[in-house]
Amino acid sequence: MLEISAQGEITRLSMARSFGGRALHSVSAYLVGDTLVDSGCPATADELVDWCRRRGVRRVVHTHHHEDHTGGDAALAARLGIEIWAPAATVPILGSFYRLPWYRRLVWGQPQSVAARPFGGTVVIGGAPFRAIPTPGHAADHHCLYDPERRLLFSGDLFINQRVTHARRSEDAATILSSLRRLLELEPELVACSHAGLVPDACAAIERRIAFWEELAGRAASLAAAGRSTRAIRRRLLGPEGAMTLLSCGDFSKTNLIRSLLGMSGGGARALV
Protein backbone atom coordinates (compact mmCIF):
# COMPACT_ATOMS: atom_id res chain seq x y z
CA MET A 1 0.00 0.00 0.00
CA LEU A 2 1.47 3.33 -1.11
CA GLU A 3 -0.23 6.69 -0.56
CA ILE A 4 1.12 9.99 -1.87
CA SER A 5 0.57 13.54 -0.60
CA ALA A 6 2.44 16.80 -1.14
CA GLN A 7 3.11 20.02 0.74
CA GLY A 8 5.10 22.54 -1.25
CA GLU A 9 8.36 20.97 -2.38
CA ILE A 10 7.99 17.94 -0.08
CA THR A 11 6.23 14.79 -1.25
CA ARG A 12 5.25 12.31 1.44
CA LEU A 13 5.09 8.60 0.60
CA SER A 14 3.14 6.68 3.25
CA MET A 15 3.79 2.93 2.99
CA ALA A 16 2.46 -0.15 4.75
CA ARG A 17 1.96 -3.85 4.28
CA SER A 18 -1.76 -4.48 4.06
CA PHE A 19 -4.03 -7.44 4.70
CA GLY A 20 -7.54 -7.35 3.29
CA GLY A 21 -6.99 -3.76 2.20
CA ARG A 22 -6.10 -2.66 5.73
CA ALA A 23 -2.66 -1.30 6.62
CA LEU A 24 -0.82 -3.00 9.47
CA HIS A 25 1.45 -0.09 10.40
CA SER A 26 2.49 2.77 8.15
CA VAL A 27 5.82 4.52 7.71
CA SER A 28 6.70 7.55 5.59
CA ALA A 29 9.53 8.41 3.27
CA TYR A 30 9.91 11.87 1.74
CA LEU A 31 10.93 13.06 -1.72
CA VAL A 32 12.64 16.43 -2.08
CA GLY A 33 13.91 17.19 -5.57
CA ASP A 34 15.79 14.09 -6.73
CA THR A 35 16.31 12.64 -3.25
CA LEU A 36 14.30 10.24 -1.12
CA VAL A 37 14.73 10.43 2.64
CA ASP A 38 14.41 6.74 3.60
CA SER A 39 12.79 4.10 1.41
CA GLY A 40 10.03 2.46 3.43
CA CYS A 41 9.57 -1.22 4.18
CA PRO A 42 10.47 -4.31 2.12
CA ALA A 43 6.78 -5.17 1.64
CA THR A 44 6.23 -2.02 -0.49
CA ALA A 45 9.52 -2.09 -2.43
CA ASP A 46 7.91 -3.06 -5.76
CA GLU A 47 5.33 -0.27 -5.52
CA LEU A 48 8.04 2.22 -4.59
CA VAL A 49 10.18 1.27 -7.59
CA ASP A 50 7.20 1.69 -9.93
CA TRP A 51 6.42 5.10 -8.45
CA CYS A 52 10.05 6.31 -8.61
CA ARG A 53 10.70 5.06 -12.13
CA ARG A 54 9.48 8.22 -13.90
CA ARG A 55 10.26 10.81 -11.23
CA GLY A 56 13.98 11.37 -11.65
CA VAL A 57 14.97 9.98 -8.24
CA ARG A 58 18.77 9.76 -8.07
CA ARG A 59 19.56 8.91 -4.46
CA VAL A 60 18.21 7.70 -1.15
CA VAL A 61 19.50 9.27 2.08
CA HIS A 62 18.90 7.42 5.34
CA THR A 63 18.25 8.37 8.95
CA HIS A 64 19.08 4.89 10.33
CA HIS A 65 19.09 1.21 9.39
CA HIS A 66 15.72 -0.12 10.59
CA GLU A 67 13.81 -2.19 8.06
CA ASP A 68 10.86 0.20 7.71
CA HIS A 69 13.31 2.89 6.58
CA THR A 70 15.64 0.92 4.31
CA GLY A 71 13.42 -1.82 2.89
CA GLY A 72 13.18 -0.35 -0.61
CA ASP A 73 16.94 0.05 -1.07
CA ALA A 74 17.88 -3.20 -2.77
CA ALA A 75 15.10 -2.96 -5.36
CA LEU A 76 15.80 0.73 -6.08
CA ALA A 77 19.52 0.11 -6.50
CA ALA A 78 19.14 -3.03 -8.64
CA ARG A 79 16.32 -1.87 -10.93
CA LEU A 80 16.84 1.89 -11.16
CA GLY A 81 20.52 2.34 -10.29
CA ILE A 82 19.67 4.70 -7.43
CA GLU A 83 22.51 5.56 -5.04
CA ILE A 84 22.09 4.69 -1.36
CA TRP A 85 23.64 7.03 1.22
CA ALA A 86 23.62 6.46 4.98
CA PRO A 87 25.39 7.38 8.22
CA ALA A 88 28.79 5.68 8.44
CA ALA A 89 27.62 3.32 11.21
CA THR A 90 24.60 2.31 9.11
CA VAL A 91 26.58 1.28 6.00
CA PRO A 92 27.93 -2.08 7.27
CA ILE A 93 24.50 -3.05 8.63
CA LEU A 94 22.90 -2.44 5.23
CA GLY A 95 25.73 -4.37 3.56
CA SER A 96 24.95 -7.50 5.58
CA PHE A 97 21.47 -7.10 6.99
CA TYR A 98 20.67 -9.27 10.01
CA ARG A 99 17.74 -11.68 10.25
CA LEU A 100 14.81 -9.83 11.79
CA PRO A 101 12.66 -11.14 14.64
CA TRP A 102 9.61 -12.83 13.16
CA TYR A 103 7.10 -10.17 14.20
CA ARG A 104 9.10 -7.47 12.39
CA ARG A 105 9.27 -9.66 9.29
CA LEU A 106 5.50 -10.01 9.50
CA VAL A 107 4.82 -6.28 9.80
CA TRP A 108 7.48 -4.93 7.44
CA GLY A 109 9.24 -7.77 5.59
CA GLN A 110 12.92 -8.81 5.59
CA PRO A 111 15.32 -6.34 3.89
CA GLN A 112 17.89 -7.52 1.38
CA SER A 113 21.48 -6.43 1.85
CA VAL A 114 22.65 -3.50 -0.27
CA ALA A 115 25.83 -1.50 -0.81
CA ALA A 116 25.60 2.04 0.57
CA ARG A 117 27.87 5.07 0.66
CA PRO A 118 28.65 6.81 3.96
CA PHE A 119 27.97 10.49 4.57
CA GLY A 120 29.62 12.63 7.21
CA GLY A 121 28.50 15.86 8.83
CA THR A 122 26.48 17.04 5.83
CA VAL A 123 24.48 15.33 3.09
CA VAL A 124 22.82 16.72 -0.03
CA ILE A 125 19.02 16.38 -0.23
CA GLY A 126 17.29 17.81 -3.27
CA GLY A 127 20.34 19.93 -4.11
CA ALA A 128 20.61 21.51 -0.63
CA PRO A 129 23.12 20.68 2.14
CA PHE A 130 21.55 19.20 5.28
CA ARG A 131 23.36 18.79 8.59
CA ALA A 132 23.51 15.18 9.78
CA ILE A 133 22.80 15.29 13.53
CA PRO A 134 23.63 12.17 15.60
CA THR A 135 20.51 11.42 17.66
CA PRO A 136 20.86 7.98 19.28
CA GLY A 137 18.44 6.30 21.66
CA HIS A 138 15.97 4.72 19.27
CA ALA A 139 18.93 3.18 17.43
CA ALA A 140 22.65 3.73 17.95
CA ASP A 141 23.11 4.85 14.32
CA HIS A 142 20.11 7.21 14.24
CA HIS A 143 20.61 10.65 12.65
CA CYS A 144 18.26 13.55 12.01
CA LEU A 145 18.81 15.67 8.92
CA TYR A 146 18.45 19.45 9.18
CA ASP A 147 18.43 22.37 6.75
CA PRO A 148 19.09 25.50 8.85
CA GLU A 149 18.06 27.85 6.04
CA ARG A 150 14.55 26.42 5.67
CA ARG A 151 14.55 25.17 9.28
CA LEU A 152 13.34 21.82 7.94
CA LEU A 153 14.10 18.71 9.98
CA PHE A 154 13.80 15.08 8.90
CA SER A 155 13.45 13.37 12.28
CA GLY A 156 13.37 9.68 11.32
CA ASP A 157 12.02 7.77 14.32
CA LEU A 158 13.01 10.23 17.01
CA PHE A 159 9.81 12.28 17.32
CA ILE A 160 7.07 9.67 16.42
CA ASN A 161 4.29 11.68 18.09
CA GLN A 162 3.69 13.85 21.14
CA ARG A 163 2.58 10.98 23.41
CA VAL A 164 4.79 7.94 22.89
CA THR A 165 3.66 5.11 25.19
CA HIS A 166 5.67 2.09 23.95
CA ALA A 167 9.37 1.24 23.64
CA ARG A 168 11.49 -1.58 22.37
CA ARG A 169 13.73 -3.39 24.84
CA SER A 170 16.76 -1.90 23.06
CA GLU A 171 15.61 1.71 23.38
CA ASP A 172 16.96 4.03 26.06
CA ALA A 173 14.62 6.75 27.28
CA ALA A 174 17.33 8.99 28.76
CA THR A 175 19.30 8.98 25.50
CA ILE A 176 16.16 9.65 23.44
CA LEU A 177 15.28 12.63 25.65
CA SER A 178 18.82 13.98 25.27
CA SER A 179 18.51 13.66 21.49
CA LEU A 180 15.12 15.42 21.53
CA ARG A 181 16.61 18.31 23.52
CA ARG A 182 19.34 18.57 20.91
CA LEU A 183 16.64 19.05 18.27
CA LEU A 184 15.17 21.95 20.27
CA GLU A 185 18.53 23.70 20.11
CA LEU A 186 18.24 23.68 16.30
CA GLU A 187 14.93 25.62 16.45
CA PRO A 188 13.25 23.83 13.52
CA GLU A 189 9.99 25.14 12.10
CA LEU A 190 8.81 21.99 10.30
CA VAL A 191 9.45 18.37 11.24
CA ALA A 192 9.07 15.62 8.64
CA CYS A 193 8.48 12.59 10.85
CA SER A 194 8.47 9.00 9.59
CA HIS A 195 5.23 8.27 11.43
CA ALA A 196 3.51 11.54 12.39
CA GLY A 197 3.94 13.08 8.94
CA LEU A 198 4.65 16.80 8.54
CA VAL A 199 4.53 18.51 11.93
CA PRO A 200 4.31 22.35 11.97
CA ASP A 201 5.22 24.49 14.97
CA ALA A 202 7.99 21.96 15.49
CA CYS A 203 9.58 23.29 18.66
CA ALA A 204 6.28 23.32 20.54
CA ALA A 205 5.55 19.76 19.42
CA ILE A 206 8.99 18.55 20.51
CA GLU A 207 8.60 20.32 23.86
CA ARG A 208 5.29 18.52 24.43
CA ARG A 209 6.94 15.21 23.51
CA ILE A 210 9.69 15.79 26.09
CA ALA A 211 7.26 17.01 28.75
CA PHE A 212 5.07 13.92 28.40
CA TRP A 213 7.96 11.57 29.16
CA GLU A 214 9.36 13.78 31.93
CA GLU A 215 5.99 13.89 33.68
CA LEU A 216 5.53 10.14 33.16
CA ALA A 217 9.00 9.46 34.59
CA GLY A 218 8.24 11.54 37.68
CA ARG A 219 4.93 9.78 38.33
CA ALA A 220 6.53 6.38 37.77
CA ALA A 221 9.36 7.18 40.19
CA SER A 222 6.86 8.23 42.88
CA LEU A 223 4.93 4.98 42.49
CA ALA A 224 8.15 2.93 42.54
CA ALA A 225 9.21 4.68 45.75
CA ALA A 226 5.86 3.62 47.24
CA GLY A 227 6.72 -0.01 46.45
CA ARG A 228 4.74 -0.55 43.26
CA SER A 229 6.07 -3.03 40.69
CA THR A 230 6.94 -2.02 37.14
CA ARG A 231 3.85 -3.80 35.78
CA ALA A 232 1.61 -2.19 38.37
CA ILE A 233 3.01 1.23 37.47
CA ARG A 234 2.43 0.54 33.79
CA ARG A 235 -1.20 -0.47 34.46
CA ARG A 236 -1.77 2.64 36.57
CA LEU A 237 -0.18 5.12 34.17
CA LEU A 238 -0.61 3.62 30.69
CA GLY A 239 -3.24 0.90 30.98
CA PRO A 240 -3.09 -2.63 29.57
CA GLU A 241 -0.68 -3.81 26.90
CA GLY A 242 -1.94 -4.19 23.34
CA ALA A 243 -1.78 -6.86 20.67
CA MET A 244 1.64 -5.79 19.41
CA THR A 245 3.18 -6.56 22.79
CA LEU A 246 1.89 -10.11 22.59
CA LEU A 247 2.90 -10.42 18.94
CA SER A 248 6.42 -9.19 19.68
CA CYS A 249 6.82 -11.41 22.76
CA GLY A 250 7.27 -8.27 24.85
CA ASP A 251 9.92 -6.63 22.68
CA PHE A 252 7.61 -3.66 21.99
CA SER A 253 5.64 -2.67 25.06
CA LYS A 254 4.47 -0.06 27.54
CA THR A 255 6.28 -1.98 30.28
CA ASN A 256 9.59 -1.46 28.47
CA LEU A 257 8.98 2.28 28.45
CA ILE A 258 8.18 2.42 32.17
CA ARG A 259 11.25 0.33 32.96
CA SER A 260 13.47 2.64 30.92
CA LEU A 261 11.99 5.78 32.47
CA LEU A 262 12.50 4.33 35.95
CA GLY A 263 16.11 3.66 35.06
CA MET A 264 16.58 7.40 34.44
CA SER A 265 15.45 8.27 37.95
CA GLY A 266 17.03 5.38 39.79
CA GLY A 267 13.57 3.97 40.46
CA GLY A 268 14.34 0.74 38.62
CA ALA A 269 15.95 -0.78 41.70
CA ARG A 270 12.65 -0.47 43.54
CA ALA A 271 10.43 -1.75 40.74
CA LEU A 272 12.00 -4.87 39.26
CA VAL A 273 8.88 -6.90 38.47
Side-chain angles (χ1 to χ4, degrees), residues 58-62 81-88 90-92 94 114-120 123:
R58 295 182 57 195
R59 68 180 61 82
V60 175
V61 169
H62 282 307
I82 289 174
E83 298 174 356
I84 310 298
W85 291 81
T90 305
V91 170
L94 299 184
V114 67
R117 307 180 186 193
F119 59 72
V123 61

Side-chain angles (χ1 to χ4, degrees), residues 37 50 52 102-103 133-134 156-157 180 195 203 221 223 227 262:
V37 179
D50 290 342
C52 289
W102 77 272
Y103 83 93
I133 314 294
D157 274 351
L180 286 165
H195 296 283
C203 286
L223 290 168
L262 285 171

Side-chain angles (χ1 to χ4, degrees), residues 10-13 28-32 35-37 154 192-194 197-198:
I10 303 171
T11 299
R12 180 186 180 190
L13 296 81
S28 292
Y30 293 92
L31 179 67
V32 181
T35 306
L36 272 178
V37 179
F154 291 100
C193 173
S194 296
L198 295 173

Side-chain angles (χ1 to χ4, degrees), residues 101-156:
W102 77 272
Y103 83 93
R104 288 164 60 183
R105 296 199 306 272
L106 173 67
V107 174
W108 301 120
Q110 173 66 43
Q112 299 176 37
S113 298
V114 67
R117 307 180 186 193
F119 59 72
T122 60
V123 61
V124 174
I125 299 174
F130 278 66
R131 291 176 56 193
I133 314 294
T135 46
H138 171 71
D141 63 323
H142 195 284
H143 283 63
C144 292
L145 308 171
Y146 183 57
D147 179 355
E149 286 195 12
R150 287 175 287 186
R151 294 171 70 181
L152 168 62
L153 178 75
F154 291 100
S155 63

